[in-house]
Amino acid sequence: MSGCAGQPDEAQEILGNLTKAGFPADDIMVVDGKVYVGRDAEVSLAASREMLEHGNSSEEQYRTSNLISTSLSKICINGSTFTGVFSTALDLAIQNYEELPLTFAMARTPSTGCSFTINAVIDPNMNGGVAGFPSNGNPYGQITIGGQLTQYGVDVIEHVITHEIGHTIGFRHSDYYNRSISCGSGGNEGDAGVGAIHIPGTLTTATSGGSLMNSCFRSVETGEFAPGDLSALRTLYTPTQSNWRWCHKCQGLFFGGNPGSKCPAGGAHENVGSGDYHLGHSLASSAGWQSNWRWCNKCQGLFFGGNPGSVCPTGGAHDGSTSGDYHLLHSAGSAPDLQSNWRWCNKCQGMFFGGNPGSVCPTGGAHSGASSGNYSLINR
């Protein structure tokens, strides 16, 4: 947040930058010298300049061109003036982010090791919230939460706080193109240029109650992320490695970025018809994610390293000695960026797709997923 953002010359430059970036004039407003888009997202001078530096994009919807740097390891929020239901809601909102495996941790002050601190304040005359977009790789420095939200209860306050934090790390409104979806009225907040970039793995259409990042909240909000919100966070802020592939010969999963793969059905793995799978790696322990999955440098396959008795198509056991620590999402079902029905084979410790017949296990016969959970792989 710029300490002199309210000066007329700066406000005029921000207005000009936003217009050039594709935001319609009727969605930009100036209140007390501060410039807002979408009614609750304040735009600093630095953020408006950064939007122009990124240039136009052919992609559409969901995030701004401004994101936070992956070098930020911990974002802290100072809510020292929050008491009662506001304090409880702030803790729950922080928990929404903290329990996910993201590039950053999130905590409430006082806390050690903060890379950046967002100041949280309450405006007793407001019924809603206000924040802003990132600039220079940092989150926006303040969220303002309306004191009149007490009429709705802790879940709605949690929803609004989580929503405003979302703006500070780069999320736009999910229904930016038609505010009437969640608000009942209102038009487009800006065209599909630098200010509205689609996040791969998320839907391009919005529904009422379908996203925590919708423009307006309802009195029945739960305060929790919707599946599309989680997909967006996974895409932008979960460390992943791409180029993992499905082999149509054995139904197994292997890394397609190296030569020398070995398929239990004979020859090398073949990725014809495969999507591009992304595996989380080096993540903090998080609910729903299982660690200790390993890459085998002998066959290029993925196997679970937490059990003995693995079997490699090249002979002997899998070798994960040079592997990173991969994390797989389980019991999450399917989503726009998730494919479920991946299974662990208790015969070879490998990972295979259970939705097709014809799997081949290096121990002989088909893979066995009888004692496996239902894993979901990020597929883009």
Side-chain angles (χ1 to χ4, degrees), residues 89 92-93 96 152-160 162 209 211-212 217-226 229:
L92 291 171
N96 285 338
Y152 302 107
V154 67
D155 287 342
V156 170
I157 301 173
E158 174 194 358
H159 173 101
V160 174
T162 307
S211 171
L212 192 143
F217 62 86
R218 304 166 303 166
S219 62
V220 294
E221 303 293 359
T222 65
E224 307 304 314
F225 288 121
D229 302 323

Side-chain angles (χ1 to χ4, degrees), residues 16 18 25 30 42 85 129 156 161 186 193 204 225 291 300 316 325 349:
L18 290 175
V30 181
E42 183 181 341
V85 291
V156 170
I161 296 174
T204 56
F225 288 121
S291 62
Q300 303 299 318
D325 183 13
Q349 303 299 318

Side-chain angles (χ1 to χ4, degrees), residues 63-298:
R63 72 169 176 90
T64 70
S65 53
N66 302 17
L67 295 177
I68 64 171
S69 171
T70 55
S71 66
L72 295 179
S73 60
K74 188 174 185 180
I75 298 173
C76 295
I77 299 182
N78 177 13
S80 57
T81 62
F82 281 46
T83 60
V85 291
F86 288 94
S87 181
T88 301
L90 178 58
D91 289 338
L92 291 171
I94 291 172
Q95 181 181 327
N96 285 338
Y97 291 94
E98 176 58 18
E99 66 186 9
L100 300 177
L102 304 176
T103 57
F104 56 87
M106 188 172 287
R108 184 172 177 174
T109 60
S111 184
T112 59
C114 300
S115 304
F116 188 89
T117 298
I118 298 171
N119 191 39
V121 299
I122 295 177
D123 182 342
N125 300 314
M126 181 185 294
N127 184 21
V130 171
F133 298 133
S135 61
N136 301 317
N138 290 322
Y140 190 76
Q142 180 168 302
I143 60 172
T144 303
I145 306 301
Q148 296 181 17
L149 290 171
T150 52
Q151 64 186 298
Y152 302 107
V154 67
D155 287 342
V156 170
I157 301 173
E158 174 194 358
H159 173 101
V160 174
I161 296 174
T162 307
H163 174 107
E164 300 307 335
I165 294 173
H167 283 317
T168 71
I169 63 173
F171 288 116
R172 282 206 63 180
H173 290 145
S174 303
D175 58 350
Y176 82 94
Y177 60 93
N178 183 2
R179 289 176 58 89
S180 66
I181 292 173
S182 66
C183 301
S185 63
N188 192 325
E189 293 179 2
D191 65 11
V194 296
I197 302 174
H198 176 249
I199 300 173
T202 65
L203 297 175
T204 56
T205 56
T207 58
S208 177
S211 171
L212 192 143
M213 291 307 301
N214 278 350
S215 300
C216 293
F217 62 86
R218 304 166 303 166
S219 62
V220 294
E221 303 293 359
T222 65
E224 307 304 314
F225 288 121
D229 302 323
L230 295 173
S231 295
L233 285 162
R234 279 193 293 269
T235 297
L236 297 184
Y237 294 122
T238 295
T240 61
Q241 182 186 51
S242 63
N243 212 3
W244 286 86
R245 306 292 177 174
W246 161 76
C247 174
H248 69 93
K249 294 161 56 180
C250 69
Q251 301 301 318
L253 186 73
F254 72 101
F255 183 61
N258 293 331
S261 70
K262 178 68 174 178
C263 178
H269 286 295
E270 293 182 5
N271 64 7
V272 176
S274 175
D276 184 9
Y277 295 96
H278 295 232
L279 301 189
H281 63 86
S282 306
L283 308 179
S285 178
S286 300
W289 293 78
Q290 184 183 50
S291 62
N292 214 359
W293 287 89
R294 306 293 175 175
W295 160 74
C296 175
N297 58 33
K298 296 161 58 179

